[in-house]
Amino acid sequence: MTEARTTEPGAPRPLLRASGLRKAFGAVQACDGVELEIAPGELRAVIGPNGAGKTTLISLLAGELKPDAGQIVFDGADITALAAPARAQAGLARSYQITSLFPRFTALENALLAVQARAGHAFRFWRPAAGDPALIEPARAALARVGLEARAEVPVAALAHGEQRQLEIALALATRPRLLLLDEPTAGMSREETQAMVALLSGLKREVTIVLIEHDMDAVFALADSITVLVYGRPIATDRPEAIRKDAEVRAAYLGEEDGGDDRPARQEAP
Amino acid sequence: MQRSDLAALIGLLAFALFPALAWAGGLLWAVDLASRMLIYGLAALALNLILGYGGLVSFGHAAFVGAGAYVVGILSFHSFMGGGFLGLPGSGSGFLVFPLAMLVSGLLALAIGALSLKTSGLYFIMITLAFAQMIYYLFISLPDYGGEDGLSLWARSDFGPLDIGNDVVFFYLCLGLVLAFTLLKRRLVGARFGWTLMGLRDNPRRMQALGTAGFRYQLAAFTLSGAVAGLAGALLANQTEFVSPSFLSWHLSGELLVIVILGGIGTLYGPLAGAVAFLLLEFLLREVTEHWQLFLGPILILVVLYARRGLWGLVEGRRRD
Ligand SMILES: Nc1ncnc2c1ncn2[C@@H]1O[C@H](COP(=O)(O)OP(=O)(O)OP(=O)(O)O)[C@@H](O)[C@H]1O
Ligand SMILES: [Mg+2]
């Protein structure tokens, strides 16, 4: 294989298209000419060894990093020059590989902060935010979506790791995104927690377009409509999961040490 | 009602009755000290809005206090000596100079904040300090307004029927303004604006990713904080009937930080408790020894070590935030 799939004529306009994205940190070329097209409704998994540039790619798409070169088009509009808040307002939301919450607040308050961040300007000086149904109800809904409704009043610091990971997703969902960029949602999770997360994500699938970075191959093959393999900042293959599974080049680069049904990827360091 | 609100109400009651108690005890001079506590408390409340809720360590709040004080001083000077300042005729009217002090300090904070908020952490501390020092040297270099020696106020500001030349009336003016700002701040930090500030304090990166462009909210808070510090400056000028560059010096900026930390950073009423404790300590130690600052230091260190949320943290008991 593998030339990257291009949109066939008559196919719907991609929700997101990145072209020629490059980002270097000193001598490290973390993102080296990434081409990416995400169709509306699709769940795209992005896999690759450690240091392949997956998190960098998410940060570039979310606007937290500025690319050295390249263009990002979201729903037909060039968003390359937009900063992170403006991209969030446009409908992009990301989650973090390393949990990034508001530790002094409860789960519900975290979701509430996310709802109000998206709700537009916060030059509201008088009405108590905590009693505002316009904030509380969507916040509760976001918690319910990830199965945390019973833990709403618990401070983040008292949540289990798996619950914090769920809340991580809830914050992104609370902004009602059209494109969800998930950076290893199962990072550090137990087997059971991972299964619960996969169930959660398959429920979200179709409702929202998702780019999913994931190391857990069972999760990837259970969820993905298509898979992009990233190595040294470059996408070496994009295809259906079955094809990726068979692809010799991918196996060599990434799934190489797989044996006896163990789908965990080989962890290798970038140069 | 929360324990914290109850304690604040008791404090308010104590202050409201203080002049009567002082009069009964033959300590009427203490009313002046109490006014000073309220004024420092107001400045500390203003600082706490950005320090406690915004997580922004401003080491230059004296600039706003001092600017407010100088507005009162300079306009009072011209109202008695004639002439004007930047085309503005002099005035001794409190209804004019107090809002003007807030406006000038607020605009100054807007300008300083717009530049300083591009940085964060240690840089923010240094750049706010640097701007305040610039203002300090600017006023030292104005011989018309006393240069290093400062400027005496000819009379306290004129509030029509409210004669603030009377220490007790002045005290109640201070108390009223402190009460008003405390209530305003209480609403503010509970509203979306306050939540946004706290979110930006705790996790600015996530707030941006969720869609909040943080700068404008922090700048608004910084500006409001500066304006209220300017109001405290206007009161301070009236209380001392004197305006000097020391109101602009980094000592005062530092004292305000100490007061907020002593009272309880990020608490609603802590800065007031901090101001009361700080000025009381200063007053008492000064009676005992001229090296009072030598003793103040260790006491502060003890409070910071043993009461991590300051004095108000002790009042509130264990709480989450
Ligand atoms: N802020 C940064 N400064 C310097 N180098 C960076 C920075 N962020 C990433 N890198 C480097 O860029 C490369 C790509 O990193 P990135 O975090 O995007 O990889 P990743 O695919 O997400 O890896 P992992 O699977 O470990 O999460 C790595 O070599 C990394 O060391
Ligand atoms: Mg990563």
Side-chain angles (χ1 to χ4, degrees):
Chain A
M1 66 179 286
T2 47
E3 64 272 27
R5 285 185 313 165
T6 47
T7 9
E8 303 96 49
R13 180 172 76 179
L15 181 61
L16 180 97
R17 196 179 65 236
S19 42
L21 270 194
R22 306 177 73 84
K23 180 75 190 176
F25 297 106
V28 180
Q29 193 68 44
C31 197
D32 192 6
V34 168
E35 309 284 334
L36 197 65
E37 253 180 41
I38 310 293
E42 146 170 42
L43 191 151
R44 169 74 59 90
V46 176
I47 62 174
N50 287 112
K54 304 180 296 294
T55 297
T56 304
L57 176 61
I58 293 271
S59 298
L60 287 170
L61 296 178
E64 280 178 27
L65 289 175
K66 282 211 173 313
D68 299 333
Q71 192 195 33
I72 303 164
V73 176
F74 180 62
D75 198 19
D78 187 339
I79 59 165
T80 318
L82 293 188
R87 292 194 201 186
Q89 296 292 344
L92 271 134
R94 73 165 293 179
S95 76
Y96 292 86
Q97 182 174 1
I98 298 163
T99 309
S100 179
L101 303 167
F102 302 94
R104 294 198 227 190
F105 294 83
T106 64
L108 181 63
E109 288 166 344
N110 268 260
L112 192 144
L113 272 166
V115 173
Q116 82 157 37
R118 176 65 204 284
H121 77 81
F123 285 115
R124 308 201 178 181
F125 302 109
W126 201 249
R127 183 162 184 194
D132 187 345
L135 297 176
I136 294 284
E137 276 158 25
R140 281 200 188 280
L143 289 188
R145 204 74 187 77
V146 302
L148 276 181
E149 62 272 53
R151 306 287 279 161
E153 314 301 336
V154 180
V156 162
L159 291 176
H161 174 77
E163 292 174 325
Q164 293 189 0
R165 296 303 291 165
Q166 286 166 279
L167 185 56
E168 181 67 41
I169 310 285
L171 291 199
L173 282 177
T175 67
R176 311 193 121 271
R178 286 190 295 154
L179 177 61
L180 198 51
L181 308 165
L182 300 177
D183 196 352
E184 296 203 36
T186 69
M189 279 188 163
S190 70
R191 202 77 218 133
E192 295 73 41
E193 287 171 333
T194 301
Q195 278 161 6
M197 180 59 75
V198 170
L200 164 65
L201 294 181
S202 51
L204 284 177
K205 208 175 145 172
R206 305 282 170 260
E207 227 173 272
V208 52
T209 311
I210 298 176
V211 173
L212 170 69
I213 289 177
E214 191 46 71
H215 268 307
D216 187 313
M217 285 305 121
D218 291 338
V220 167
F221 287 116
L223 289 167
D225 298 316
S226 55
I227 299 176
T228 293
V229 183
L230 207 62
V231 177
Y232 296 142
R234 214 172 297 127
I236 60 163
T238 294
D239 216 324
R240 312 223 144 266
E242 319 79 68
I244 292 288
R245 216 195 259 277
K246 292 201 193 87
D247 189 315
E249 191 184 348
V250 171
R251 295 172 78 98
Y254 184 53
L255 305 170
E257 284 168 35
E258 172 187 326
D259 54 35
D262 178 11
D263 277 336
R264 299 289 302 177
R267 293 255 167 188
Q268 45 186 244
E269 292 307 319
Chain B
M1 187 188 287
Q2 287 194 340
R3 200 166 137 175
S4 155
D5 289 329
L6 191 66
L9 218 65
I10 293 170
L12 174 65
L13 205 67
F15 262 98
L17 296 176
F18 185 76
L21 297 174
W23 177 77
L27 297 165
L28 212 46
W29 54 267
V31 171
D32 194 46
L33 177 63
S35 297
R36 206 174 164 78
M37 289 171 175
L38 289 170
I39 295 168
Y40 272 69
L42 183 61
L45 282 170
L47 177 60
N48 190 39
L49 179 65
I50 58 159
L51 177 64
Y53 294 91
L56 301 162
V57 185
S58 163
F59 199 175
H61 252 48
F64 312 126
V65 175
Y70 265 98
V71 167
V72 171
I74 289 174
L75 292 181
S76 158
F77 172 81
H78 286 300
S79 85
F80 284 90
M81 300 297 286
F85 182 67
L86 300 175
L88 229 62
S91 170
S93 163
F95 295 116
L96 189 83
V97 296
F98 272 58
L100 204 62
M102 290 185 77
L103 183 70
V104 168
S105 291
L107 289 176
L108 188 63
L110 182 67
I112 292 180
L115 297 167
S116 308
L117 285 168
K118 300 282 180 199
T119 67
S120 63
L122 210 51
Y123 295 100
F124 184 80
I125 301 177
M126 297 316 289
I127 197 167
T128 48
L129 173 63
F131 276 120
Q133 288 302 99
M134 274 169 55
I135 308 284
Y136 173 77
Y137 286 110
L138 175 73
F139 275 94
I140 275 193
S141 68
L142 294 177
D144 285 356
Y145 303 120
E148 281 186 65
D149 298 330
L151 192 61
S152 276
L153 217 61
W154 289 73
R156 283 190 176 174
S157 300
D158 176 12
F159 276 98
L162 209 67
D163 175 21
I164 66 167
N166 179 317
D167 276 349
V168 173
V169 176
F170 181 69
F171 169 86
Y172 281 110
L173 174 67
C174 295
L175 186 59
L177 290 173
V178 164
L179 185 63
F181 181 60
T182 305
L183 293 178
L184 173 74
K185 195 171 135 191
R186 208 183 122 94
R187 293 301 296 220
L188 217 62
V189 299
R192 289 190 191 192
F193 182 71
W195 280 71
T196 300
L197 278 183
M198 290 189 277
L200 289 165
R201 171 193 69 192
D202 290 352
N203 194 344
R205 178 162 161 224
R206 187 77 199 231
M207 283 300 272
Q208 308 253 334
L210 290 169
T212 298
F215 178 75
R216 63 185 76 149
Y217 302 108
Q218 292 180 326
L219 185 57
F222 196 82
T223 303
L224 176 64
S225 175
V228 175
L231 178 63
L235 288 170
L236 193 59
N238 275 283
Q239 191 253 335
T240 55
E241 297 182 24
F242 184 72
V243 180
S244 92
S246 73
F247 292 176
L248 291 158
S249 83
W250 65 268
H251 291 102
L252 180 59
S253 298
E255 273 176 11
L256 291 176
L257 282 171
V258 165
I259 286 172
V260 174
I261 293 165
L262 178 66
I265 205 164
T267 60
L268 266 175
Y269 313 109
L272 287 168
V276 170
F278 185 86
L279 292 182
L280 199 63
L281 266 179
E282 179 184 327
F283 175 77
L284 293 175
L285 291 173
R286 216 197 273 272
E287 293 286 290
V288 181
T289 161
E290 58 180 300
H291 304 297
W292 59 276
Q293 281 173 318
L294 218 61
F295 294 90
L296 191 60
I299 293 176
L300 289 177
I301 291 173
L302 284 178
V303 170
V304 171
L305 283 181
Y306 290 104
R308 303 203 57 189
R309 286 175 60 78
L311 296 173
W312 204 260
L314 300 177
V315 174
E316 281 183 337
R318 289 183 65 79
R319 250 195 55 196
R320 188 169 46 81
D321 69 5

